Amino acid sequence: HSDNFQALNLLNTLYKNQVNSVYIDPPYNTDATPIVYKNGYKSSSWLSLLCDRINLTSQLMREDSMLCLTIDDVEVDNARCMLASNFPGRDLLGTVAIKNNPAGRTGTVGFAISHEYALFYGSLENSAIGRLEHSESQKARYKEKDEHGHFEWTNFRKHGGTNTYRTSRPRQFYPIYIDGEKIRFPNMTWNNEIRDWEIIDQPTASEEVIYPIDEQGRERIWDFVSETAIQNIDHLKVRKDIKGNTAVYRKWRLNTEGLLPLTIWDKSEYSAAAYGTNLLTDIFGTSHQFSFPKSIYAVTDCIKVAGAKNLETSIVLDYFGGSGTTAHATINLNRQDKGKRKYILVEQGEYFDTALMPRVAKVAYSSNWKNGKPVT
């Protein structure tokens, strides 16, 4: 419970170069959440506050650590300029627009603002961007299972995109011989002068020859070069396509590492009202007085992308602790994968005692609350 500048100085004596992920949600400096400033230098005061703390943050972080800063349009440009010049060894890895207010923040004029930004900074050489979970609808597509896990059958012929044509990757354009359900790859020699395969084995009378040619007669390519296809022939299968033609299908597996994060996050779970304000009401009943809590799902995904998912013993730091959402998100992440991540939160406001600490105690006790009482 401290001013965060003083706390960061103290933390540097204990955690220098040890923090893996930093998530901060500083005041947005809007009319709704202004900072205290003098002489009319509103943005200058805000930048000074942030810059002093970023300099100390850098000392706490490891070489592979990442920082996520959430902000809206009022100060996003100033924040990026400040971080570009005061965050040594860290580059902007990505900017994500998060739809945190689906109804839009309305005013008397202009646009109804429905988003904020998450700026991710880290080392281009050392930081590993964390992946996110597949959606339930994506998982549902992979209905079949073998000894290697879940998969779905997809056409072995590539489709869509400019690099899926024979002209782009001629080595992936070759014949496949089909005899009933049997697949055979002929012996071939690559001719570099004409950039084409010379076919050595001819098909037998009972074999059908197929090439990766699509419904419009365009010469596409197979998913694999011939050597890889031969090595994975057990994962290929002869089937009829939607037109009733003979085709080769492959087992397409769910990437267990997850998905690379998109630069637009618009899931309904990112709504701050539904999964921030309402969540606090469930935890405390109607007694909490905290304004503008973040969606637990938005913060969880932010710290995942900022590296907390990659290391199950990571330390997550948030020195604008607010209502404790970052601690809650870290606890949830540990529950999901039995991790041993630790969190350090700093907050100077009086709601350290009225919201943050009671929330952490409650969610550590139970993962599910309703009307201020534990459900599980």
Side-chain angles (χ1 to χ4, degrees):
H1 189 185
S2 168
D3 167 80
N4 51 19
F5 180 79
Q6 304 300 333
L8 290 170
N9 273 299
L10 175 63
L11 288 170
N12 263 296
T13 66
L14 295 172
Y15 293 99
K16 190 179 183 70
N17 300 324
Q18 293 187 49
V19 172
N20 305 88
S21 303
V22 180
Y23 173 87
I24 54 173
D25 180 46
Y28 284 9
N29 212 14
T30 64
D31 292 337
T33 57
I35 65 164
V36 177
Y37 56 92
K38 296 180 180 180
N39 303 322
Y41 294 107
K42 184 175 181 179
S43 288
S44 177
S45 298
W46 184 86
L47 281 167
S48 295
L49 176 146
L50 201 58
C51 184
D52 289 344
R53 287 146 183 80
I54 288 295
N55 289 333
L56 291 171
T57 304
S58 182
Q59 299 171 36
L60 285 163
M61 295 171 68
R62 300 172 5 149
E63 285 188 359
D64 59 351
S65 299
M66 290 176 60
L67 173 141
C68 173
L69 181 150
T70 54
I71 196 68
D72 73 0
D73 287 290
V74 173
E75 296 288 5
V76 63
D77 292 334
N78 288 328
R80 289 181 62 161
C81 288
M82 183 277 295
L83 287 163
S85 57
N86 291 278
F87 206 20
R90 315 286 172 174
D91 297 288
L92 179 62
L93 302 180
T95 300
V96 174
I98 304 176
K99 189 176 181 180
N100 66 327
N101 188 349
R105 189 171 73 242
T106 57
T108 56
V109 295
F111 294 87
I113 299 172
S114 63
H115 73 283
E116 64 182 1
Y117 302 101
L119 310 179
F120 292 89
Y121 283 81
S123 166
L124 291 172
E125 296 180 356
N126 302 312
S127 299
I129 296 171
R131 292 175 178 254
L132 296 177
E133 300 289 328
H134 295 86
S135 67
E136 292 303 316
S137 61
Q138 289 170 328
K139 293 177 184 177
R141 287 168 39 198
Y142 299 83
K143 298 177 181 177
E144 303 200 49
K145 188 177 182 180
D146 61 11
E147 66 275 13
H148 301 290
H150 290 276
F151 68 91
E152 67 169 339
W153 290 107
T154 62
N155 200 311
F156 190 48
R157 184 191 70 236
K158 279 189 175 293
H159 58 279
T162 57
N163 293 323
T164 62
Y165 291 97
R166 180 182 185 180
T167 52
S168 300
R169 300 178 183 179
R171 284 180 177 270
Q172 286 173 245
F173 185 88
Y174 51 84
I176 298 178
Y177 297 166
I178 306 297
D179 186 355
E181 296 183 355
K182 185 177 179 181
I183 298 172
R184 183 166 75 92
F185 295 92
N187 291 321
M188 304 179 295
T189 302
W190 178 253
N191 187 324
N192 206 42
E193 291 185 6
I194 62 173
R195 295 186 62 74
D196 198 1
W197 291 104
E198 294 179 352
I199 311 301
I200 298 173
D201 290 346
Q202 296 304 312
T204 66
S206 62
E207 289 180 324
E208 180 182 356
V209 181
I210 64 171
Y211 282 89
I213 298 175
D214 66 18
E215 293 82 357
Q216 285 76 42
R218 296 173 296 190
E219 294 181 334
R220 298 279 190 171
I221 58 175
W222 299 120
D223 267 341
F224 302 148
V225 295
S226 58
E227 295 87 348
T228 304
I230 292 169
Q231 292 172 3
N232 291 275
I233 194 169
D234 290 340
H235 298 275
L236 303 177
K237 182 178 183 179
V238 178
R239 297 178 65 176
K240 296 294 183 181
D241 63 18
I242 58 175
K243 298 287 187 179
N245 299 317
T246 303
V248 175
Y249 281 71
R250 62 164 290 197
K251 291 179 179 179
W252 189 277
R253 300 188 182 279
L254 190 70
N255 185 342
T256 55
E257 293 181 1
L259 298 168
L260 287 174
L262 298 173
T263 53
I264 297 177
W265 295 1
D266 60 354
K267 292 196 301 186
S268 60
E269 290 86 349
Y270 296 141
S271 167
Y275 298 96
T277 302
N278 291 350
L279 178 62
L280 281 188
T281 300
D282 284 337
I283 294 173
F284 290 106
T286 58
S287 60
H288 80 88
Q289 300 296 319
F290 190 86
S291 302
F292 311 118
K294 312 292 283 191
S295 161
I296 183 66
Y297 296 103
V299 175
T300 300
D301 283 355
C302 281
I303 66 173
K304 281 181 180 179
V305 173
K309 183 181 180 182
N310 301 336
L311 186 62
E312 295 175 3
T313 57
S314 59
I315 297 175
V316 180
L317 169 66
D318 179 357
Y319 48 86
F320 290 96
S323 68
T325 309
T326 302
H328 192 166
T330 307
I331 291 169
N332 284 355
L333 196 53
N334 282 339
R335 281 193 171 119
Q336 290 171 15
D337 61 12
K338 303 190 187 317
K340 297 183 181 298
R341 300 169 189 83
K342 299 177 181 179
Y343 51 84
I344 304 171
L345 268 66
V346 178
E347 179 53 58
Q348 69 173 358
E350 62 183 22
Y351 39 80
F352 181 92
D353 293 310
T354 60
L356 192 156
M357 281 292 287
R359 178 183 187 175
V360 171
K362 281 172 173 281
V363 299
Y365 176 77
S366 173
S367 61
N368 194 6
W369 292 76
K370 191 70 175 176
N371 297 323
K373 299 183 182 299
V375 177
T376 56

